[in-house]
Amino acid sequence: MTTDIDTRTRDAEIEAILRVVAAVEHAQNNELPDAFLELFRADAIWTTGGGQRLFGRDAIAAFTHRVLPGGMRGMSVAFELEHVLFIRPDVAAVKLRQLYRTSEGTDVGTPLWILAKEDGHWRLTACQNMAAPDDETEAQDRPVFGSAT
């Protein structure tokens, strides 16, 4: 059962969620692993674009500290909010469009993030990143999702 919330509350919560999305974008583009990691719950689940499953902030931290420094060299990422489904007032499913720009071209992802609100802050809780199957990039020409990162 989904929860209906009033329009004003919904708009305010979507603005707060957009700040989390912007913080992820900033942390990735500026290769700031600690800024990225502080957005997660301690028990979060993260599945990378390459399909690696990470359980808990410690595992996410180990992966992020290994791949993020230098991982954005020559590329940038932008996120566009596609849809927010409030499962409860403090739990939201957030569907995004992720656009990577690289010197080799562009690539598109379609992440789904489940956020939970704790102590007044939205936290990344269960997230999965994947290539968008309907974009215009051929599988072998994908600069980001064509590799197992």
Side-chain angles (χ1 to χ4, degrees):
M1 176 181 220
T2 60
T3 299
D4 291 325
I5 57 176
D6 66 74
T7 301
R8 198 164 109 192
T9 300
R10 177 181 169 76
D11 291 348
E13 295 300 356
I14 289 174
E15 283 301 315
I17 288 167
L18 281 168
R19 287 192 293 276
V20 174
V21 173
V24 170
E25 183 177 305
H26 176 78
Q28 287 186 347
N29 283 325
N30 294 283
E31 299 185 340
L32 303 169
D34 292 330
F36 178 69
L37 294 165
E38 69 186 25
L39 300 169
F40 286 88
R41 281 176 41 136
D43 59 351
I45 299 168
W46 182 267
T47 303
T48 70
Q52 188 169 353
R53 296 172 312 278
L54 306 168
F55 302 100
R57 192 171 34 221
D58 290 344
I60 297 166
F63 175 84
T64 302
H65 280 284
R66 189 176 76 247
V67 301
L68 191 54
M72 293 300 292
R73 188 173 300 123
M75 78 169 91
S76 65
V77 65
F79 294 96
E80 298 170 8
L81 183 67
E82 290 187 323
H83 187 75
V84 175
L85 168 66
F86 286 97
I87 299 163
R88 299 187 329 212
D90 61 341
V91 178
V94 179
K95 191 63 178 164
L96 300 159
R97 182 173 187 268
Q98 178 184 42
L99 180 63
Y100 283 98
R101 289 184 176 84
T102 76
S103 59
E104 300 168 10
T106 60
D107 210 344
V108 179
T110 179
L112 174 63
W113 298 348
I114 306 300
L115 280 73
K117 193 171 188 182
E118 295 180 343
D119 300 322
H121 299 283
W122 287 100
R123 300 279 179 217
L124 299 170
T125 303
C127 307
Q128 180 153 350
N129 196 7
M130 61 186 295
D134 60 346
D135 69 14
E136 299 161 8
T137 308
E138 294 296 323
Q140 66 271 15
D141 296 331
R142 300 191 82 140
V144 176
F145 291 104
S147 62
T149 37

